[in-house]
Amino acid sequence: MTLPGLGKFKTWLAGNVDADATNTVMYDRTLVWMVLGLIVTGFVMVTSASIPAGDFLVKDPFFFARRDAIYLSLCFLLSLITLRIPMDVWLRYSNFMLLGTIILLVAVLFVGSSVNGASRWVAIGPLRIQPAELSKLSFFCYLSSYLVRKVEEVRNNFWGFCKPMGVMIALAILLLAQPDLGTVVVLFVTTLTLLFLAGAKLWQFLAIISSGLFSVGVLIVTEPYRMRRVTSFLDPWKDAFGDGYQLTNSLMAFGRGTLFGQGLGHSVQKLEYLPESHTDFIFAIIAEELGYFGVVLVLAMVFFVAFRAMMIGRRALQLDQRFSGFLACAIGIWFSFQTFINVGAAAGILPTKGLTLPLVSYGGSSLIVMSTAVVLLLRIDYEIRLANAQAFVRSPK
């Protein structure tokens, strides 16, 4: 298999280094296969889970499947472009990316379309963009570029530690106005973890965690709908036809799945019982139709992608490619933590949050942003392999 775009890179490389160095594959084939496995699984499960919703809403059982195919095609085309962009370009324009995202987050409060009481989408022609998804990637690019410039300040100065947290708080205020607490939690945890990996002092880390937990607690208590989510999550069967309706139906999907599942397409909960079955709660449908083995397989693929991201980041940092290294680590933390929240909400371990399962759930903005993050991992891995190949050629034989 030849990854689109990397064939030309390898041909160019062959003209600049000797044959021994170019025998090495210039991209992570296992990572590519895992990502393709997640995308195919996601498309199949979105098709299966969305048939009743499509038939009920627009009298077209494959409405969401077709839209998902269009989004995946767009992701592929954008990936061909993204794969050719050097990481230095992302470093150079990271601040502008963050500024553009902030403008979109402000715009969505005034001209955004509302779904289920939340204004999170901006319509641009036939497409609807969710700035909250863009905010994750753009902020992590900004944070990585900040660490390139200020990593020593982060390690030795509390003010250097607080600066990126201040930017994150500004984003959090805009996100909470939508409202979107789930994205805020992902940004907060990923930011703290990345700063900790960069060498921030433990007492700073613990102080921010304590203040963050206190702030989340206040946000939950001051909003009745968030408080209802927490209380219904603790005992969903107490109000099974009210606040606990979504979670109880999700748990029934898990219970019906048992070891081998009911079979692809044989879910009962997707038949108008489980709301958002093709988006936020698609993992419950996977559990019902594919059973325990399907659940383990999907989780293994997601966390392998996250693990490979951390390994790629580690290798980049060893080569002193700081921006690439920190960004790859941020992507790994982001993927794993968002998966944990999505699966935890579906399984009743955590309160319900409107977060997608990476590369699996239906959603155009999420698919585009997640696929872009994966392509960035491949680009980082390529540049690492290229640097190692060139070092091999320059070394004396």
Side-chain angles (χ1 to χ4, degrees), residues 232 235-250 252 273 275:
S232 64
D235 187 8
W237 304 102
K238 184 177 181 180
D239 189 11
F241 294 97
D243 293 330
Y245 178 79
Q246 195 170 29
L247 181 53
T248 53
N249 280 278
S250 178
M252 283 188 277
Y273 293 107

Side-chain angles (χ1 to χ4, degrees), residues 283-294:
F283 194 75
I285 305 302
I286 293 174
E288 185 179 5
E289 294 190 351
L290 304 183
Y292 173 80
F293 286 102

Side-chain angles (χ1 to χ4, degrees), residues 3 5-6 9 12 26-28 31 79-90 312 321 324 372-386:
L3 188 66
L6 287 184
F9 285 136
W12 173 85
M26 298 305 292
Y27 62 94
D28 191 329
L31 176 60
S79 296
L80 296 180
I81 299 172
T82 306
L83 198 57
R84 290 166 168 78
I85 301 175
M87 295 309 299
D88 286 343
V89 176
W90 293 90
I312 290 170
Q321 297 178 1
S324 297
T372 300
V374 168
V375 173
L376 287 177
L377 288 178
L378 291 172
R379 176 71 203 195
I380 293 168
D381 181 65
Y382 166 76
E383 293 188 1
I384 292 171
R385 294 173 188 238
L386 178 61

Side-chain angles (χ1 to χ4, degrees), residues 228-369:
R228 287 196 301 270
R229 281 187 177 182
V230 173
T231 55
S232 64
F233 134 77
L234 293 173
D235 187 8
W237 304 102
K238 184 177 181 180
D239 189 11
F241 294 97
D243 293 330
Y245 178 79
Q246 195 170 29
L247 181 53
T248 53
N249 280 278
S250 178
L251 293 175
M252 283 188 277
F254 275 89
R256 293 189 75 250
T258 63
L259 199 59
F260 298 103
Q262 298 295 315
L264 186 63
H266 292 167
S267 168
V268 171
Q269 297 308 119
K270 69 184 181 184
L271 303 176
E272 306 299 324
Y273 293 107
L274 178 60
E276 310 297 338
S277 61
H278 59 296
T279 54
D280 299 343
F281 278 81
I282 196 169
F283 194 75
I285 305 302
I286 293 174
E288 185 179 5
E289 294 190 351
L290 304 183
Y292 173 80
F293 286 102
V295 164
V296 171
L297 179 62
V298 171
L299 288 179
M301 288 191 290
V302 172
F303 284 110
F304 177 84
V305 173
F307 175 78
R308 289 302 300 165
M310 299 299 290
M311 292 300 99
I312 290 170
R314 178 173 172 269
R315 297 207 323 267
L317 291 173
Q318 287 175 341
L319 290 175
D320 203 32
Q321 297 178 1
R322 290 189 176 184
F323 175 75
S324 297
F326 287 128
L327 181 58
C329 290
I331 292 171
I333 299 164
W334 164 25
F335 268 53
S336 55
F337 186 70
Q338 183 159 324
T339 299
F340 171 71
I341 293 180
N342 178 275
V343 173
I349 301 172
L350 298 172
T352 303
K353 284 283 164 284
L355 290 173
T356 58
L357 185 61
L359 300 174
V360 177
S361 297
Y362 172 83
S365 296
S366 176
L367 282 173
I368 290 172
V369 171

